[in-house]
Amino acid sequence: MDIIKIIGVGFISLIISVILKEYKREYVIYISIISGAIIIFLCFGKLKEIIDMLISIANKSGTNSYFILLLLKITGIAILSEYAVSICKDAGENAIASKIDLGGKILIISISIPIISKLLETITKIM
Amino acid sequence: MDIDLLFKIAAIGILVAVLNQVLQRAGRDDQAMMTTLAGVVIVLSLVISEISELFTSVRTMFNL
């Protein structure tokens, strides 16, 4: 049922942005930002359930849930940066889009440094 | 957080476009510029409040 809502919002914002393209070009960007936000809000409920299930599995399985939290952080950064990059690309500003992409990648790498160091430690321990 | 926000922005956009045409025909170009700026300010305030709501909810969900 939710997919119909998402497709509906997408089509309505598509039609509105096509109409507005002749009169006012800059309003197309506002429409794409707002429709992106609405669609992400629509699928937040399901996202919440997935995240809670992941955290409960991590706690049950005994592995310290620190890594799961890091993974969640990385997916959060990925979602937000992809949201901004696609809007900038839509508006034709590829330079800004690539800068946001670069920033997102740097943040993700900086967050995953503890994971990498832990991985190397376990490898050296094995050998 | 629903669809009427889209319609509000579309209405403001079309209204500003029509007002611009009318004012330009009437020869008052400066007022046409004023209405454009007013439209931009109103829509920006709407968009920014929506974006901040989206970012705070994503941050709390992924505890960024």
Side-chain angles (χ1 to χ4, degrees), chain A:
Chain A
M1 181 49 205
D2 268 345
I3 188 64
I4 296 177
K5 251 185 258 178
I6 290 174
I7 292 174
V9 169
F11 275 162
I12 288 175
S13 51
L14 176 70
I15 291 165
I16 289 178
S17 64
V18 164
I19 291 173
L20 276 179
K21 200 160 268 184
E22 294 116 22
Y23 300 109
K24 279 281 175 197
R25 293 197 66 78
E26 63 270 16
Y27 282 80
V28 172
I29 299 171
Y30 299 134
I31 293 283
S32 62
I33 289 176
I34 289 286
S35 61
I38 290 176
I39 289 175
I40 287 180
F41 269 122
L42 276 181
C43 53
F44 253 157
K46 298 290 182 291
L47 204 55
K48 196 93 179 105
E49 287 157 22
I50 293 171
I51 289 172
D52 296 343
M53 184 263 291
L54 270 178
I55 289 180
S56 64
I57 285 177
N59 293 344
K60 251 195 293 243
S61 71
T63 63
N64 50 5
S65 70
Y66 177 63
F67 290 133
I68 297 287
L69 290 184
L70 283 189
L71 285 183
L72 281 183
K73 268 195 220 287
I74 289 174
T75 44
I77 291 178
I79 287 177
L80 283 185
S81 66
E82 196 279 331
Y83 172 73
V85 161
S86 56
I87 285 176
C88 289
K89 279 212 173 85
D90 231 8
E93 298 294 333
N94 292 329
I96 300 176
S98 63
K99 293 302 165 289
I100 295 175
D101 212 8
L102 180 71
K105 287 193 179 100
I106 288 174
L107 281 178
I108 286 177
I109 292 173
S110 69
I111 279 182
S112 62
I113 281 175
I115 296 181
I116 295 172
S117 59
K118 190 91 178 203
L119 187 66
L120 290 181
E121 277 160 34
T122 47
I123 290 175
T124 49
K125 232 179 291 170
I126 291 169
M127 281 194 283

